Amino acid sequence: MSFSVEERGNPNSLSYRLFFKNAEGKYISPFHDIPIYADETQNIFHMVVEVPRWTNAKMEIATKDLLNPIKQDVKKEKLRYVANVFPHKGYIWNYGAIPQTWEDPAHKDENTGCCGDNDPIDVCEIGSKVCSRGEVIKVKVLGILAMIDEGETDWKVIAIDVEDPEANKFNNISDVQRLKPGYLEATVDWFRRYKVPDGKPENKFAFNEEFKDKDFAIEVIKSTHNFWKALISQKTNSGGLSCKNICVSASNSPYYCSADEAKTAVCQTCPCGKEEPVPSSVDTWFYYERK
């Protein structure tokens, strides 16, 4: 199973979009049409890479847009970049999401006491390769962190690309602690502080900031997959999310999108154009004294 991407609009601009295609060249939704599992028997999951390691542009699957392309988050009509909170530079892992998952904002999690953040579940891929934006990789889940972001549950799955040269050495969260000392602590620090430069408070975490193991993580992922199933089968209010898909819903479903409809939607966007400059401020380090 292979996927490709097509850029539309000007990179580093409000018009930029990254659309996905399947092996047949048909436009698809990375949220709904890419299967959650690469190999269900081995609990190997697909991951859609939204943000390559070391980069700052806050790219994400556009859950409310038709076909859910990847686009850059916008705040106050300006493109959003994560700040470099010293000593971090950009994202410290390949960051993305597991398709066909959804953190239901109407469901209060029994572990965190908070409802979901209305997005697919997030993944931090810790392998050696710097992935490309829009790349679809197969990952082995190792553990999970429960972040509380402005009162919402925002799970962070820790995983490694199965093609990584050292993937066979990593089978649980304890292997990350042993073989990549400091990485998990840096991960908590990154997520705790990354919104402070925007004037927001530090994020909090459930479980006393501890990572839960592989088995716990897989159960959380499966629960978000069940929430997605309820969403795509119209058993749950979509709340403004675009649930149109090419491969999942029956042709008589309001969520079904034909190949022609999908192609028309993409063609209505601007062709890929000249790359816009990135503000020099994106490379600035942000310092603050922790209290």
Side-chain angles (χ1 to χ4, degrees), residues 117-177:
D117 70 348
N118 205 29
D119 284 323
I121 197 166
D122 297 321
V123 189
C124 304
E125 192 280 322
I126 65 167
S128 55
K129 174 187 172 184
V130 176
C131 292
S132 302
R133 182 187 301 156
E135 192 172 350
V136 180
I137 61 175
K138 301 172 183 178
V139 298
K140 181 196 301 186
V141 169
L142 305 173
I144 198 165
L145 178 68
M147 187 174 86
I148 310 300
D149 186 353
E150 298 181 39
E152 295 177 332
T153 301
D154 193 359
W155 293 103
K156 306 297 181 185
V157 175
I158 306 300
I160 190 167
D161 187 341
V162 296
E163 299 296 328
D164 190 270
E166 296 188 325
N168 63 342
K169 298 180 181 178
F170 292 85
N171 297 292
N172 214 322
I173 199 70
S174 57
D175 296 321
V176 184
Q177 294 166 330

Side-chain angles (χ1 to χ4, degrees), residues 44-239:
I44 303 299
F45 297 88
H46 280 124
M47 171 187 173
V48 177
V49 178
E50 297 166 312
V51 186
R53 190 168 74 233
W54 308 139
T55 63
N56 296 73
K58 194 174 188 310
M59 310 298 295
E60 55 191 17
I61 291 171
T63 57
K64 296 183 178 181
D65 293 4
L66 181 61
L67 295 180
N68 313 115
I70 288 178
K71 69 177 184 181
Q72 192 164 352
D73 191 22
V74 175
K75 183 178 180 181
K76 296 180 180 178
E77 299 182 5
K78 291 187 177 181
L79 296 175
R80 187 176 169 200
Y81 296 88
V82 296
N84 304 302
V85 180
F86 186 84
H88 307 300
K89 170 64 178 81
Y91 286 70
I92 62 174
W93 348 255
N94 295 303
Y95 191 70
I98 296 178
Q100 296 186 340
T101 63
W102 179 53
E103 295 194 53
D104 185 353
H107 172 78
K108 181 177 284 190
D109 188 274
E110 62 181 13
N111 296 296
T112 66
C114 298
C115 294
D117 70 348
N118 205 29
D119 284 323
I121 197 166
D122 297 321
V123 189
C124 304
E125 192 280 322
I126 65 167
S128 55
K129 174 187 172 184
V130 176
C131 292
S132 302
R133 182 187 301 156
E135 192 172 350
V136 180
I137 61 175
K138 301 172 183 178
V139 298
K140 181 196 301 186
V141 169
L142 305 173
I144 198 165
L145 178 68
M147 187 174 86
I148 310 300
D149 186 353
E150 298 181 39
E152 295 177 332
T153 301
D154 193 359
W155 293 103
K156 306 297 181 185
V157 175
I158 306 300
I160 190 167
D161 187 341
V162 296
E163 299 296 328
D164 190 270
E166 296 188 325
N168 63 342
K169 298 180 181 178
F170 292 85
N171 297 292
N172 214 322
I173 199 70
S174 57
D175 296 321
V176 184
Q177 294 166 330
R178 180 171 55 88
L179 297 170
K180 291 180 181 280
Y183 206 169
L184 296 181
E185 291 83 355
T187 294
V188 172
D189 184 67
W190 194 98
F191 280 120
R192 177 189 288 116
R193 303 198 288 153
Y194 82 105
K195 287 189 175 182
V196 171
D198 295 329
K200 294 183 178 180
E202 293 184 348
N203 283 320
K204 306 294 184 184
F205 304 88
F207 307 114
N208 196 31
E209 302 183 359
E210 294 178 1
F211 289 80
K212 305 301 283 186
D213 66 11
K214 174 181 182 175
D215 291 341
F216 188 99
I218 289 172
E219 288 307 308
V220 171
I221 295 168
K222 286 180 177 178
S223 72
T224 63
H225 182 49
N226 287 332
F227 293 138
W228 171 84
K229 285 181 178 178
L231 175 69
I232 209 70
S233 61
Q234 304 175 70
K235 294 177 182 176
T236 301
N237 188 337
S238 65

Side-chain angles (χ1 to χ4, degrees), residues 5-18:
V5 291
E6 179 180 322
E7 291 184 302
R8 303 286 293 185
N10 293 19
N12 308 321
S13 79
L14 293 169
S15 68
Y16 181 79
R17 301 288 186 275
L18 194 65

